[in-house]
Amino acid sequence: AAVSPTPGTFALYAPAEACFYDFFESGAGKWQRSGDWDIAILPGGERAMTDSPAGNYDSAIPPAITYTTSITSQAFDLSSCTNPTLTFRHDYVLARVGSSQDVARVEISTDGGATWRELARYTGGGIFGEGVGAQDVESPEWTNVSWKQVEIGLSGYTGMARLRFSLEVDQTVSDKGWVIDDVMVRSGSGGSPPGANIFLPIVLKNKQ
């Protein structure tokens, strides 16, 4: 069962019920990282993972080339969860200019990382896209996070698994990026097929 929310808290499932979890309060030890991914301390004091903790992500790459950075979880056993369900909360502001768009992907592998299956993708919200424009690269990162809660059913996957959060960018322009927190794979109801996204109401969790 979920932890009951109280004012100023975020409703989290107990870690004991999970076959994998990371709230990023104790560092990034459960992940392999490429690029600039690191823990960011948000204005409220909580910690979260982001692709570019110092400001906008880098788009200074040669024309016609895309560049992908990622965090990849340590392996975990899906068999320890009944109807496994991935939950996390995130926010993203990604550049999109016409047919050129930067893309954030959530992926899973059950063969040790040899192949990956896309669970969800996100794009837009930034330069020339919907919502606010680019942040000043000199401004503090993620001063105003608009958390979205995601739930993705993993009942179609078995055995040892790894998760990957990857950001693919091109040379056109950059923006604020992607921030992720409270990643958990736990037993679920089985009502969400692989790839389904369910956005739930959110309140902030207590600072650790």
Side-chain angles (χ1 to χ4, degrees):
V3 177
S4 298
T6 58
T9 64
F10 169 57
L12 291 174
Y13 288 83
E17 300 174 351
C19 45
F20 176 83
Y21 74 94
D22 196 354
F23 302 154
F24 301 113
E25 296 299 327
S26 301
K30 295 184 178 181
W31 304 85
Q32 294 179 352
R33 294 173 287 164
S34 67
D36 296 325
W37 287 85
D38 206 351
I39 304 296
I41 300 177
L42 304 184
E46 62 185 315
R47 289 168 168 79
M49 179 68 80
T50 180
D51 64 282
S52 51
N56 288 13
Y57 54 83
D58 186 15
S59 64
I61 56 178
I65 293 178
T66 58
Y67 176 59
T68 301
T69 63
S70 64
I71 54 170
T72 303
S73 76
Q74 63 189 27
F76 57 91
D77 190 357
L78 285 170
S79 66
S80 60
C81 288
T82 303
N83 295 318
T85 299
L86 167 64
T87 59
F88 62 92
R89 60 176 183 159
H90 71 154
D91 192 14
Y92 58 92
V93 182
L94 304 177
R96 181 175 56 198
V97 185
S99 61
S100 172
Q101 59 183 8
D102 298 334
V103 180
R105 293 184 175 89
V106 185
E107 301 166 298
I108 189 170
S109 174
T110 54
D111 57 8
T115 59
W116 293 89
R117 173 79 178 270
E118 182 177 293
L119 298 171
R121 68 167 58 192
Y122 308 95
T123 189
I127 298 174
F128 306 110
E130 299 174 358
V132 299
Q135 71 163 18
D136 183 338
V137 295
E138 300 300 324
S139 67
E141 179 75 324
W142 296 111
T143 57
N144 195 12
V145 180
S146 178
W147 290 115
K148 303 169 184 66
Q149 178 75 3
V150 179
E151 180 174 322
I152 302 174
L154 301 179
S155 59
Y157 303 95
T158 59
M160 299 300 295
R162 302 180 76 182
L163 295 172
R164 185 167 70 182
F165 294 82
S166 63
L167 179 61
E168 179 184 289
V169 306
D170 61 24
Q171 81 287 353
T172 303
V173 72
S174 67
D175 213 313
K176 193 171 181 179
W178 198 11
V179 64
I180 302 164
D181 202 3
D182 302 328
V183 178
M184 179 176 284
V185 179
R186 58 174 177 81
S187 295
S189 64
S192 302
N197 288 269
I198 301 174
F199 293 88
L200 305 174
I202 285 183
V203 289
L204 293 178
K205 69 176 181 178
N206 282 335
K207 292 188 295 182
Q208 300 295 317

